[in-house]
Amino acid sequence: ETGVTQSPTHLIKTRGQQVTLRCSSQSGHNTVSWYQQALGQGPQFIFQYYREEENGRGNFPPRFSGLQFPNYSSELNVNALELDDSALYLCASYSGGPETQYFGPGTRLLVL
Amino acid sequence: QKEVEQNSGPLSVPEGAIASLNCTYSDRVSQSFFWYRQYSGKSPELIMSIYSNGDKEDGRFTAQLNKASQYVSLLIRDSQPSDSATYLCAVNPGGYQKVTFGTGTKLQVIP
């Protein structure tokens, strides 16, 4: 088990709703990355936060947004949910470089 | 062309054999290369990282990197049924930049 925790573990929403997912980073890690993993696919990079600033973003629309707090925990917000947003959402934290990156257990989101 | 390409498998090998997993990447500026293992229903777990051309060994695992050919591989010696998982190849340009994953190769080790 890593020190990265995520909540909730599972979530069911309907199309058009909004959702907030939470991540607590491993102690000492100042960088949090969020990934979306659809069934049968590899994780797709959504964005990354370093010391409370977004410092990288993948090919995701603006309705995917995030925050990082002073304790380096993070939130992922998704507005106007679509059916294709159904996936496993993973957060990962590291410090110094991604060779120290640890993933949390993920939040499985189902959009109906 | 996908940024990181892997054969989705499944790759089936008998217990005790060598499993060979391959990955190609498109971005020539990539500096860091990773292999993650993901068991069904679980999150990815880093098993190997490699940065320089050549081989890097860690126990039963050997990562191989050829930057000229933009090719990374993972060899698993003496494969065990517990090695059955999806293996994800990932690349990074260096430092605090995004890590790009392939779609993964599913490995089945047959007892």
Side-chain angles (χ1 to χ4, degrees):
Chain A
E1 294 290 326
T2 72
V4 183
T5 61
Q6 291 186 245
S7 63
T9 54
H10 295 84
L11 204 50
I12 299 175
K13 291 284 189 179
T14 56
R15 197 170 46 182
Q17 285 188 310
Q18 177 264 343
V19 69
T20 297
L21 310 182
R22 294 178 175 83
C23 170
S24 290
S25 60
Q26 175 138 327
S27 177
H29 285 185
N30 55 22
T31 304
V32 172
S33 302
W34 285 93
Y35 295 85
Q36 179 196 67
Q37 187 174 25
L39 205 59
Q41 301 296 314
Q44 296 294 307
F45 178 80
I46 302 174
F47 45 57
Q48 177 171 281
Y49 281 84
Y50 170 65
R51 293 188 174 180
E52 301 179 62
E53 297 286 332
E54 184 182 297
N55 79 331
R57 190 176 183 93
N59 235 6
F60 281 82
R63 59 189 185 84
F64 286 78
S65 63
L67 280 175
Q68 187 180 31
F69 300 101
N71 66 354
Y72 302 137
S73 65
S74 179
E75 283 182 359
L76 164 66
N77 299 291
V78 188
N79 293 323
L81 283 166
E82 300 177 0
L83 298 179
D84 284 350
D85 295 334
S86 296
L88 178 67
Y89 287 85
L90 296 160
C91 86
S93 72
Y94 67 87
S95 190
E99 64 275 7
T100 62
Q101 179 164 257
Y102 292 109
F103 280 87
T107 293
R108 195 164 294 279
L109 173 65
L110 177 62
V111 182
L112 301 175
Chain B
Q1 184 187 7
K2 288 184 180 176
E3 292 180 76
V4 180
E5 294 209 50
Q6 296 181 255
N7 187 321
S8 61
L11 172 67
S12 294
V13 300
E15 184 174 354
I18 295 175
S20 178
L21 303 159
N22 305 314
C23 169
T24 58
Y25 61 94
S26 60
D27 190 350
R28 287 194 169 273
V29 303
S30 298
Q31 295 293 322
S32 307
F33 305 87
F34 308 99
W35 283 100
Y36 284 81
R37 177 175 62 200
Q38 187 173 26
Y39 292 114
S40 182
K42 301 292 187 181
S43 57
E45 170 195 11
L46 180 66
I47 53 172
M48 289 287 286
S49 55
I50 187 167
Y51 308 97
S52 307
N53 282 328
D55 295 1
K56 179 181 177 182
E57 188 175 316
D58 184 359
R60 296 187 295 114
F61 298 98
T62 299
Q64 299 174 316
L65 174 61
N66 183 325
K67 289 186 179 180
S69 300
Q70 295 175 248
Y71 177 88
V72 195
S73 67
L74 179 70
L75 300 178
I76 305 174
R77 288 182 301 281
D78 187 24
S79 294
Q80 301 297 309
S82 58
D83 294 327
S84 297
T86 296
Y87 288 81
L88 297 160
C89 173
V91 304
N92 163 260
Y96 287 86
Q97 300 190 60
K98 75 172 186 177
V99 176
T100 302
F101 285 81
T103 55
T105 298
K106 186 171 184 178
L107 173 66
Q108 294 176 338
V109 180
I110 313 300

PDB file of all heavy atoms in Angstrom, chain A residues 11 46 74:
ATOM      1  N   LEU A  11     -18.401   5.929  -7.308  1.00  0.00           N
ATOM      2  CA  LEU A  11     -19.352   7.019  -7.408  1.00  0.00           C
ATOM      3  C   LEU A  11     -20.236   6.792  -8.629  1.00  0.00           C
ATOM      4  O   LEU A  11     -19.739   6.408  -9.695  1.00  0.00           O
ATOM      5  CB  LEU A  11     -18.565   8.320  -7.588  1.00  0.00           C
ATOM      6  CG  LEU A  11     -19.151   9.665  -7.201  1.00  0.00           C
ATOM      7  CD1 LEU A  11     -19.718   9.646  -5.799  1.00  0.00           C
ATOM      8  CD2 LEU A  11     -18.061  10.725  -7.313  1.00  0.00           C
ATOM      9  N   ILE A  46      -4.394  13.950 -17.101  1.00  0.00           N
ATOM     10  CA  ILE A  46      -5.370  15.046 -17.114  1.00  0.00           C
ATOM     11  C   ILE A  46      -4.640  16.358 -16.828  1.00  0.00           C
ATOM     12  O   ILE A  46      -4.653  17.277 -17.637  1.00  0.00           O
ATOM     13  CB  ILE A  46      -6.488  14.825 -16.080  1.00  0.00           C
ATOM     14  CG1 ILE A  46      -7.202  13.502 -16.333  1.00  0.00           C
ATOM     15  CG2 ILE A  46      -7.477  15.992 -16.121  1.00  0.00           C
ATOM     16  CD1 ILE A  46      -8.232  13.134 -15.273  1.00  0.00           C
ATOM     17  N   SER A  74      -5.246  17.271  -3.039  1.00  0.00           N
ATOM     18  CA  SER A  74      -5.748  17.812  -4.301  1.00  0.00           C
ATOM     19  C   SER A  74      -7.182  17.383  -4.567  1.00  0.00           C
ATOM     20  O   SER A  74      -7.661  16.386  -4.006  1.00  0.00           O
ATOM     21  CB  SER A  74      -4.847  17.326  -5.448  1.00  0.00           C
ATOM     22  OG  SER A  74      -5.286  17.802  -6.699  1.00  0.00           O
TER      23      SER A  74
END
